[in-house]
Amino acid sequence: MPTPEETWNWQSAYPAPAKLNLFLHVVGRRADGYHLLQTVFRFLGHGDSLRFAPRADGAVHLATPLPGVPPENDLTVRAARLLQAATGCRAGVEISIDKRLPLGGGLGGGSSDAATVLLALNHLWQLALPRRRLQEIGLQLGADVPVFVFGRNAFAEGIGETLRPVELPPSWYVVLEPPVQVPTAAIFGSPELRRDSRPIAVDAWRPAFGTNDLEAVACARFPVIAEHLAWLATWSPARMSGSGACVFAEFATLDMAATTLAQLPATMRGWLAPGLDHHPLRALAD
């Protein structure tokens, strides 16, 4: 089997997979305003892709800025600079992103990109930070970043940083992208949001358990999400991921997922992907 050094180098395209929240319960709220959650994260075989080029001047440059997002605020740039600051590394990098995941979609695209930067540059810059330290750096960027560094499907608690691996059966997913960007802060800040779901023990979780407590608020504010959920639910139980807007349904086989996707109305956008057992870059950190 090839070593990480043989597989991943400066010429490689580094994947940043999407995630789904198979359920998401809000079980409380901390004094600082952060919500306490329970959720199960699953990685998908679909996502963004990043490339890196070394720079000798120590600068971090984003070659593919997102419209309306200043490069200084981009999570990938911030991730690279946090890694420099944490290690004293003087190397620079140019980052290019092939963006496939929608903004404001609940699939963790920006968080996944940031985690891929931490994993890839820790490897390329030969920094040798352990996975736990990379997760700590990732948490400074957002609550979803640590699970991508953790690299395994996981039951998450706290604000999303307490992670325990879970084994999930092979599955295929149809994911629909409603044409809206959902502001996460607005959903969590809504007075209508349920914040008192009863916590469960990790061992008590089973596939198909639970709901997404954010779904009702998001659907009320963005009825197009409810429309996509209703269509998908005619084929298989459907759920929203994260704070939306994307919705998904699980299927046992590729044929079943493909049959559903083939019926998608022309007014809707969607795709299918397999569930992954682990993050494609998991071997890059110990």
Side-chain angles (χ1 to χ4, degrees):
M1 179 178 295
T3 66
E5 290 74 17
E6 294 169 330
T7 304
W8 302 104
N9 53 51
W10 287 103
Q11 285 70 50
S12 301
Y14 289 77
K19 60 81 176 170
L20 295 176
N21 297 91
L22 299 188
F23 87 104
L24 198 167
H25 288 179
V26 183
V27 299
R29 197 173 191 178
R30 301 193 317 195
D32 61 6
Y34 278 95
H35 289 78
L36 299 173
L37 310 174
Q38 287 191 318
T39 189
V40 166
F41 290 105
R42 177 152 214 184
F43 301 129
L44 295 184
H46 177 86
D48 299 338
S49 181
L50 285 76
R51 289 185 178 272
F52 303 92
R55 292 177 63 106
D57 59 4
V60 175
H61 178 255
L62 181 60
T64 54
L66 293 171
V69 180
E72 299 295 311
N73 295 343
D74 193 282
L75 285 179
T76 58
V77 173
R78 292 172 57 198
R81 289 180 175 161
L82 279 177
L83 198 56
Q84 287 176 325
T87 61
C89 178
R90 296 185 179 183
V93 68
E94 180 161 297
I95 303 169
S96 300
I97 307 173
D98 182 4
K99 193 72 182 166
R100 300 186 187 95
L101 299 178
L103 301 179
L107 302 178
S111 296
S112 186
D113 293 345
T116 289
V117 168
L118 294 176
L119 289 164
L121 292 184
N122 186 54
H123 170 66
L124 293 169
W125 285 344
Q126 300 180 8
L127 303 176
L129 290 183
R131 188 183 311 278
R132 175 65 67 177
R133 180 67 181 116
L134 293 175
Q135 288 177 220
E136 293 170 352
I137 294 172
L139 187 59
Q140 299 177 54
L141 298 163
D144 281 353
V145 179
V147 72
F148 290 101
V149 178
F150 183 65
R152 298 180 64 182
N153 298 316
F155 188 104
E157 298 184 276
I159 62 172
E161 83 287 7
T162 302
L163 303 165
R164 301 183 194 181
V166 294
E167 299 297 327
L168 300 173
S171 297
W172 284 83
Y173 297 88
V174 171
V175 180
L176 304 187
E177 298 181 4
V180 290
Q181 291 186 27
V182 176
T184 299
I187 301 301
F188 276 106
S190 171
E192 291 79 34
L193 176 65
R194 179 181 180 181
R195 299 177 170 88
D196 62 350
S197 284
R198 186 170 182 174
I200 66 164
V202 178
D203 293 342
W205 180 81
R206 297 292 183 272
F209 166 84
T211 61
N212 183 338
D213 286 344
L214 309 184
E215 193 174 289
V217 175
C219 286
R221 294 196 174 204
F222 302 95
V224 69
I225 298 176
E227 295 169 11
H228 283 66
L229 275 169
W231 183 87
L232 193 54
T234 62
W235 299 88
S236 181
R239 189 167 294 173
M240 188 179 78
S241 184
S243 57
C246 290
V247 302
F248 67 93
E250 182 176 329
F251 298 87
T253 67
L254 171 58
D255 284 348
M256 294 170 65
T259 297
T260 298
L261 189 64
Q263 305 303 315
L264 189 68
T267 56
M268 294 184 180
R269 172 184 171 88
W271 40 269
L272 57 81
L276 301 180
D277 291 331
H278 56 80
H279 194 291
L281 301 178
R282 178 165 170 77
L284 290 188
D286 296 322

